[in-house]
Amino acid sequence: MTDIITILLAVAVIYLIAKITFKVLKFILMLAVIGLVIYILANYGFLRGIL
């Protein structure tokens, strides 16, 4: 019985860690895309005239 509880607990912890990691990863990827767009616009786009 203890083995089953341990396995269920481990699966629940892995699920929560994956969920948190996915949110953090999604946030980092969004920042990277926004940074890339600003970089491209600043060098090649309409922001070049402003900056």
Side-chain angles (χ1 to χ4, degrees), residues 19-29:
K19 206 169 153 181
I20 293 169
T21 304
F22 179 70
K23 284 185 179 181
V24 171
L25 188 65
K26 192 167 77 169
F27 179 71
I28 291 172
L29 286 175

Side-chain angles (χ1 to χ4, degrees), residues 26-47:
K26 192 167 77 169
F27 179 71
I28 291 172
L29 286 175
M30 262 183 8
L31 284 180
V33 168
I34 290 170
L36 184 66
V37 167
I38 290 174
Y39 173 78
I40 290 172
L41 288 177
N43 286 333
Y44 308 109
F46 70 94
L47 285 177

